[in-house]
Amino acid sequence: MTAVTDEDHGKGDGTGKPDGRADGRWDDGLIARRAAEAREAEETAPPTPAEDDAEPQVEAYAPADGPLPARLDALRELVGLSRARLDRDTLAEAGRVLDEAAARQRLSSRHTVIAVAGATGSGKSTLFNALAGAPISDTGLRRPTTSQPIACSWTDGAAGLLDRLAVPGRLRRRPHPGPAAFDEALQGLVLVDLPDHDSAATEHRDQVDRVLALVDAVIWVVDPEKYADAALHERYLRPLAGHAEVTFVVLNQTDRLPGEAADLVLDDLRRLLDEDGIALGEHGEPGATVMSLSALTGDGVPELREMIGRFVSDRTAATRRLSADVDAAAARLRRVYVAEGRPGLGERAREEFTDRLAEAVGAAAAGQAAEREWRRNASRACGTPWLRLWRWYENRGLPGSLDRLGQALTPPEEELTARQRVEQAVRIVADDAADGLPGPWAQAVREAAFTGAQGLPEALDELAVRAGAAGTSKRGGGTETGKSTVPQLGGRPPKPPRPKWWPAAVLAQASMTLLQIFGGLWLVGQIIGVLEPGLVTPALIMLAGVVGGPLVEWGCAAAIRGPARRYGQDAERRLREAAAGCGRARVLDPVAAELVRYREVRERYVAVTEFSTTGR
C-alpha cells in the first residue's frame, strides 16, 4: 500500500473525515483524483470573503489593572536612564519590546492572534484548515506548500492586527459557515498559518521569525519524525521558554503511530520541552499546553478547539505575551544591571581615600615639621647666646654641622612622587566603588573618578597654601600677612609665630647672660690685680648665670611642648581637611553621583522584574 503523508491526504473539508467523506471511509484512489475532487468542492463552496480592511478598529487595547503598564513604564524609564551608559545594541531588544508593546496596545483587545507554526510536513496547514472548518491553506506533497502567512479571522475589526503582521488582503479569510465559524468561544480569534520554519527558502524563515515576534500566541505543530529536531528546539522553543503561557505544542499525525507509541512519543516530547526550560501547564499550573492529535482523522481537534476557545475568551493572551517579552528583555539586561554584592562607597573607603590624599600631600610630615619649627623658634628665642651662636654656625652648612648630619640621617622620601600617590589613591577608591558593579557601570564609575582626578595634585597644592594662610590669619601670628604655615607639596613650612611669653624669657635669659659676664669680668679683674681678691662672690654670680641660662631654656622647652604639639596637629588637620575637601569635590562626589544613577536604574530594573510571570 502506498504511504501517504498527513499533508497530502489531509486535504479535507474541515469535517475531520478524509476527503470530506461523512462516513469516514478511506478512498485509496489516485492522488490526482483526490486533488480534482477537492478542487471541485472548493469551486462549488460559497466564497469566503476577505476581511474588510476599511473596517474601523474597535475597542482599542486597554489592559485591565495589572502590573504590565507599570512594568512597561519602568522599562521605558530604564532605557532612558541607561542611554548614556549602555551602547545601543544592548538596549536594542528592550527598545523593540517597548515599540511592539505600544503598537499592540493601539490595536484591538477583542482579538487574539494565534500563529500556527511547524516544520515541513508536520501537518500544520491541515490543522489550520481543520480549526477553520474550510480548506483555506493549501496542502500537498510539494514543499514548501505555504509560502506566505495566511490569516483567518472569526470576527470583524482585526484589520489593524493583520496590517501589523503584513498579511496581504488576498490572504485574509473568514471561516467556512458552520459550527466552527459560529463557535461563541472562538469569536475574536485570528488564526495565522505560517510558512515552514525549516524551509529551504530563506525568505520563508524570515517571515516566520518576523510574525512570531508579533503574534499573541503560537501553536507549534510537530510530527513523530521531527519532534526532536534540534533546529526547532535550539532556534525557537528554547529561546521562547519564557513564553510558555502563550504556547501550544501539538503532536500531530498520531494516527500513524501504532498502539501506545503515541503516548511514548508525547512523553518524550514533554521531556524535551522540560529540558528546554519550558514550563508545562500541568495540574492547573500555568505553562505551555502540550497534547497529541491527528488533524487528518480529527482525533483531538475538538479538544484543541475547546482549549483555544477558553484561551481566546479570556482575552489575556496579548497581555501575557507582552509580559513575557518584557521578561525576556529584562533577562538579557540582567548582566548590565545586577551587581554582585553591595557596591558603593562606604565610610571606610572614604576615610582611606582621605588618608591617602593626606599622605600624598604630606599632611603628617607637615604637622611634624610645623611642631619642630615651633620648638626650634621657641628654643632660639629662649636659648642661651652661646647655644644660639653654635646653631648659627650649624646653619651656615659647614662640613660637620648638625644640620648636614641630620639631613644625612633623615630617611629619604618614598620613591613615589606626590602625583603618583594621588593617582594611586584615585585608582584604589575607584576600584573599591566599582567592585561588584556590572561592567558598563563600573567603567562609568572609573571614568568619573579619573576625569575628576585630572589636575588634582595642583589643586591640592593650591588648597594647602590657602588652608595654611587661613590658619595663620586665625592665629593672628606670622611674620607676614598671607604667608602659609603649612607646607606645599614637597615644600618647607615657614617660620611660625613666637610664644607670647617670649619677651619675659628673653629678659630672663639676658639677665643670666649678664650675670655670667659680670661674674667673669669680676674674676678677671681680681686675677690681673685691678680688684681686691675674693673669688667666692664673683664665682657664685658667674655660676648663677651659667646654671640659670640652661634652666631658663629647659623651662621654656617644657612650656612649649604642649603648644608646639597643638600647633603641629592644627597644621596637619588644616592640610588634611584641604586635601579631603578637594578630593571629595573632584573624585568622591562624581563617583557618588554615578553610584546614585546606578541605584536608580537598578530600582527601575527591579520594578521591571518584580511582577515577572516567568520567574526570570
Side-chain angles (χ1 to χ4, degrees), residues 37-73:
E37 292 175 357
R39 196 178 308 112
E40 181 180 355
E42 184 175 359
E43 292 174 355
T44 57
T48 56
E51 184 165 348
D52 184 8
D53 290 346
E55 183 74 22
Q57 206 60 30
V58 295
E59 194 176 342
Y61 188 93
D65 293 339
L68 181 59
R71 297 182 69 200
L72 289 173
D73 291 341

Side-chain angles (χ1 to χ4, degrees), residues 96-242:
R96 186 197 69 79
V97 169
L98 290 172
D99 293 340
E100 297 302 339
R104 182 63 180 91
Q105 289 176 335
R106 288 193 296 266
L107 300 174
S108 172
S109 64
R110 295 175 55 245
H111 294 81
T112 300
V113 183
I114 302 179
V116 182
T120 303
S122 61
K124 59 179 178 57
S125 296
T126 303
L127 179 60
F128 177 85
N129 292 337
L131 293 174
I136 296 175
S137 185
D138 292 336
T139 61
L141 287 175
R142 183 176 177 272
R143 307 297 182 200
T145 305
T146 305
S147 59
Q148 288 184 307
I150 301 174
C152 179
S153 178
W154 265 251
T155 54
D156 297 333
L161 292 170
L162 295 178
D163 290 342
R164 180 168 174 253
L165 299 180
V167 177
R170 59 185 176 84
L171 296 179
R172 303 181 185 183
R173 301 287 188 269
R174 297 294 293 273
H176 192 279
F182 298 106
D183 190 343
E184 185 66 25
L186 297 180
Q187 301 306 303
L189 172 63
V190 179
L191 202 62
V192 182
D193 185 22
L194 298 181
D196 303 332
H197 69 76
D198 61 348
S199 174
T202 305
E203 59 273 15
H204 292 181
R205 299 196 301 270
D206 294 340
Q207 289 191 58
V208 172
D209 296 342
R210 178 182 59 82
V211 175
L212 286 179
L214 303 176
V215 296
D216 300 329
V218 183
I219 300 176
W220 288 100
V221 182
V222 298
D223 61 77
E225 294 179 356
K226 295 183 179 180
Y227 74 93
D229 187 13
L232 170 65
H233 289 268
E234 295 178 3
R235 185 175 181 183
Y236 294 103
L237 295 180
R238 194 168 299 164
L240 295 176

Side-chain angles (χ1 to χ4, degrees), residues 341-398:
R342 298 176 62 87
L345 272 180
E347 287 300 321
R348 181 176 179 180
R350 292 174 179 270
E351 291 177 359
E352 290 178 352
F353 177 65
T354 301
D355 292 341
R356 292 188 180 96
L357 287 187
E359 182 182 359
V361 81
Q368 294 172 3
E371 181 178 353
R372 287 194 302 269
E373 192 68 14
W374 179 286
R375 288 174 179 270
R376 185 180 296 113
N377 282 356
S379 298
R380 287 173 180 173
C382 305
T384 62
W386 325 117
L387 182 60
R388 295 174 65 180
L389 183 62
W390 173 250
R391 286 173 178 167
W392 171 80
Y393 173 76
E394 285 181 335
N395 292 336
R396 292 180 58 192
L398 297 177

Side-chain angles (χ1 to χ4, degrees), residues 247-270:
T247 301
F248 295 79
V249 181
V250 175
L251 176 63
N252 192 20
Q253 302 179 8
T254 55
D255 59 307
R256 297 170 52 188
L257 298 174
E260 298 180 354
D263 293 335
L264 296 177
V265 173
L266 185 63
D267 290 342
D268 194 47
L269 174 60
R270 291 177 181 272

